[in-house]
Amino acid sequence: MPFNAVIFDLDGTLLDTLEDIVNTLNAVLESHRYPTHSLDEGRFLVGHGLRELVRKALPENTATETLIDTLLADLMDHYSRNWNRNSKPYEGIADMLDDLDRRGMKKAILSNKADRFTQLCASELLAEWSFDAVMGHHDAIPHKPDPAGALLIAAKLGHKPEDILYVGDSGIDMLTASRAGMYPLGVLWGFRPEDELLEFGAKTLVKTPAEITAFLEAAR
């Protein structure tokens, strides 16, 4: 089926942000004398929003809401000063986005990252491309996999959900796409493994951004 628009996840899909996120998390944990996490461990901590990142990173039975509030405030402050030390678009993303622009296809970003950081990442690391909508998490919209954010973007783009390709690197993204009635396409260069993407409903998997271009061409 042809698609009229694409919604992208941000972290692990368009941008490789893991090192900056995990470094920030570890700096905050270490400052409060809690154990830190490896980069590979961090792949399974991210994706549910910053508050859940802190909760999941703490040792079992220590994550009180008061403690999470404290560490989250520190994390937001630290990340605001260190978010772009290593973060960058994945190889091939630029060419893929250029292709979407040549097609005149609408494109958007939907992330569980706090909206202020989602906007910052998009405006600075993806500044060469204009997106029809960029949305991170804020109080008015529940975290993915709730489909509310995806459906809100669909309305803004002016397309039915079934006409939208949803691209992400996690089970959360695949569930979001399915619940919103969009086509779930999973990318294999991101933070989560292939089996998770398939388990949560990916209909197509791609190994490179160029394969997204080929998929869209085949769907015309």
Side-chain angles (χ1 to χ4, degrees):
M1 62 178 293
F3 297 99
N4 296 315
V6 184
I7 297 177
F8 293 99
D9 174 49
L10 184 66
D11 303 278
T13 301
L14 293 175
L15 300 179
D16 183 359
T17 57
L18 188 63
E19 190 172 354
D20 286 333
I21 294 172
V22 173
N23 286 348
T24 292
L25 176 65
N26 283 339
V28 171
L29 290 170
E30 191 171 20
S31 72
H32 290 268
R33 299 183 180 180
Y34 288 107
T36 58
H37 297 274
S38 70
L39 203 60
D40 279 341
E41 289 171 339
R43 295 179 186 277
F44 295 92
L45 296 176
V46 300
H48 297 267
L50 294 179
R51 187 174 189 85
E52 288 305 305
L53 172 64
V54 172
R55 186 189 308 277
K56 292 168 69 175
L58 285 166
E60 190 174 358
N61 299 322
T62 63
T64 67
E65 296 306 313
T66 299
L67 177 60
I68 292 172
D69 287 342
T70 299
L71 268 62
L72 179 59
D74 288 355
L75 186 142
M76 296 282 280
D77 176 65
H78 192 284
Y79 193 63
S80 69
R81 293 180 279 108
N82 297 279
W83 67 272
N84 61 350
R85 291 184 179 271
N86 302 286
S87 296
K88 60 186 181 299
Y90 286 100
E91 183 177 355
I93 290 296
D95 289 341
M96 183 268 296
L97 292 176
D98 285 343
D99 178 76
L100 292 183
D101 285 346
R102 283 191 294 269
R103 294 169 184 267
M105 185 172 287
K106 291 184 178 180
K107 56 188 184 299
I109 293 171
L110 176 62
S111 177
N112 271 347
K113 192 188 210 79
D115 187 65
R116 60 179 280 206
F117 293 128
T118 300
Q119 302 292 338
L120 193 59
C121 285
S123 64
E124 296 200 18
L125 298 180
L126 299 168
E128 295 180 39
W129 303 275
S130 61
F131 290 84
D132 298 279
V134 176
M135 184 186 300
H137 178 256
H138 51 85
D139 290 341
I141 299 295
H143 284 98
K144 300 182 290 184
D146 190 294
L151 293 172
L152 186 62
I153 288 178
K156 183 172 183 178
L157 298 179
H159 290 299
K160 297 177 182 178
E162 58 265 32
D163 297 331
I164 297 176
L165 178 67
Y166 191 108
V167 180
D169 73 306
S170 72
I172 293 171
D173 294 312
M174 300 302 97
L175 276 176
T176 303
S178 297
R179 291 174 179 178
M182 300 173 183
Y183 188 98
L185 183 146
V187 307
L188 297 176
W189 58 79
F191 300 166
R192 301 296 178 85
E194 177 178 350
D195 57 351
E196 178 180 317
L197 293 167
L198 291 172
E199 179 184 353
F200 289 98
K203 291 184 178 179
T204 298
L205 297 176
V206 296
K207 295 180 180 179
T208 68
E211 292 182 29
I212 297 175
T213 301
F215 176 80
L216 288 169
E217 183 63 29
R220 291 178 64 178

